[in-house]
Amino acid sequence: MAKLEFGSLREAWKGEAADFTPLLAEQLDAIGDEIGVNLLAVGRTEVATAGGRSIDIVAQASDGPEFVIENQYGRADHDHLTRGLAYAVARGARGLVVVAEEHRDEFRAVAQYLNELAEHDAEHGIAVWLVEAKAVRISGSPWAPLFSAVISPNSFTAQVEQAKQSEKPLSLDEFLALCETLEIRGAMSVLVKRWQALGHLVWRYSGYVSLAAKGPAKSGERGVLALFPNGQVAVPYGAFAGQNTGIPISALTTEDFRRRAESLFGSAGTRWTGRTPPGWVSHEQVDQIMQFATEVADAYAAALADKNVSDVFLGKE
């Protein structure tokens, strides 16, 4: 039976600046999921400031505004919080995110105070998130970061959630109607119907749909593939590796699996996401896509069946 292990960030990634900061910069969408902001997946690191020092990470939301991210090992200290605030003010950033393994009570109080001020002056205020991070792995697998927001600006989070709710998910018929050619539409229709016939899930968004399956996650579900109306398919390698949940699926992170996936879908030049060219989906690809997606769903099911993994992660023990 696999064992879920928790470790310190330094144990997982030896160097804070050399190892952990670049990792965060490549997994900003995972932090974004935790704080409720749609951050672009890749940010800029070691961004120079006028004072000769540098910001750990400058991130950007999908709608344009910047976010300053400061990270450190161990317990957060005054230097990272005050420096991060100075950088965020100087850059006119929408918010500051401080990532550490632990946040002191006095810093939580300061962050809450700043968030209350920001509620009264949204134009000039700085929203502050305090995020705790830990390293997790299963039976010697590669370490993955697990994020938990301990302080969030309530009004900002509510506004973001309201905006998300206004983006009405497409119905499946609406998604199919958006498909750019009859060939793409027919292939997508077959894919979705065959996937649902197997008892699996289809998540609907405002601009695409995602094949999903039951797996080890707080929601009990994990994405498998994303399908776009222009005929593209996106493969969430980062999700397979535990980017969003902290639980990597070992069968989906081997060199053999990655090689076979890239031989089918191609490579987007990043470790975390694969993406085919537009117009790629056709009836000829349906069987291969289904075979791949079913392999992922079976691997999710095997991981979910591991009671040690699911119970600990879902907080049942």
Side-chain angles (χ1 to χ4, degrees):
M1 181 178 292
K3 180 181 180 182
L4 183 63
E5 302 176 53
F6 293 86
S8 68
L9 298 182
R10 190 177 300 280
E11 179 182 0
W13 302 283
K14 300 300 181 185
E16 180 182 319
D19 301 315
F20 190 61
T21 299
L23 173 71
L24 287 183
E26 291 183 340
Q27 298 204 16
L28 291 180
D29 49 353
I31 297 178
D33 287 343
E34 180 60 30
I35 68 173
V37 178
N38 187 19
L39 297 178
L40 300 182
V42 179
R44 292 176 291 151
T45 61
E46 301 298 321
V47 179
T49 66
R53 303 186 72 174
S54 61
I55 306 171
D56 286 341
I57 301 172
V58 174
Q60 188 173 9
S62 59
D63 57 348
E66 283 189 348
F67 287 76
V68 166
I69 299 178
E70 282 289 305
N71 65 268
Q72 69 176 109
Y73 286 170
R75 180 181 290 184
D77 57 30
H78 293 82
D79 184 49
H80 283 76
L81 179 61
T82 56
R83 189 169 71 222
L85 283 170
Y87 295 161
V89 170
R91 296 189 66 91
R94 178 183 288 183
L96 166 67
V97 182
V98 181
V99 180
E101 292 176 84
E102 183 182 353
H103 289 284
R104 302 171 186 265
D105 289 341
E106 58 266 36
F107 292 163
R108 296 186 186 211
V110 169
Q112 288 176 328
Y113 174 75
L114 292 171
N115 285 332
E116 290 173 2
L117 292 180
E119 288 186 23
H120 296 290
D121 189 355
E123 182 178 352
H124 300 97
I126 299 293
V128 179
W129 287 262
L130 301 185
V131 176
E132 293 186 341
K134 62 182 66 175
V136 297
R137 67 180 178 183
I138 301 175
S139 298
S141 67
W143 290 102
L146 184 63
F147 303 111
S148 175
V150 295
I151 294 294
S152 299
N154 294 330
S155 62
F156 185 95
T157 304
Q159 292 170 10
V160 171
E161 184 60 29
Q162 184 177 5
K164 287 182 178 179
Q165 294 297 327
S166 67
E167 297 179 0
K168 182 181 177 182
L170 295 170
S171 70
L172 293 178
D173 286 341
E174 288 171 335
F175 168 74
L176 294 175
L178 288 176
C179 290
E180 296 182 356
T181 68
L182 290 175
E183 174 68 18
I184 293 173
R185 183 182 306 169
M188 291 293 191
S189 178
V190 172
L191 274 172
V192 169
K193 290 178 180 178
R194 286 180 59 178
W195 189 248
Q196 291 178 316
L198 293 175
H200 296 312
L201 309 161
V202 176
W203 293 343
R204 297 177 292 111
Y205 298 94
S206 58
Y208 66 98
V209 300
S210 177
L211 306 185
K214 294 181 179 179
K218 289 181 180 179
S219 66
E221 304 170 358
R222 290 177 74 150
V224 173
L225 290 174
L227 306 175
F228 295 85
N230 66 349
Q232 284 186 306
V233 175
V235 188
Y237 296 126
F240 299 160
Q243 185 182 70
N244 301 324
T245 64
I247 301 267
I249 309 299
S250 58
L252 306 180
T253 56
T254 65
E255 291 186 9
D256 175 68
F257 174 84
R258 184 61 174 259
R259 177 183 54 78
R260 290 187 290 109
E262 291 188 348
S263 70
L264 177 58
F265 301 106
S267 173
T270 172
R271 287 185 297 162
W272 306 113
T273 305
R275 189 183 292 267
T276 69
W280 180 81
V281 170
S282 69
H283 283 89
E284 294 179 354
Q285 306 287 358
V286 167
D287 286 344
Q288 296 181 81
I289 296 172
M290 284 296 301
Q291 182 177 357
F292 177 87
T294 300
E295 179 180 353
V296 174
D298 289 346
Y300 283 173
L304 189 61
D306 186 337
K307 188 174 186 298
N308 184 65
V309 172
S310 59
D311 281 3
V312 173
F313 184 72
L314 296 174
K316 297 177 181 178
E317 292 186 352

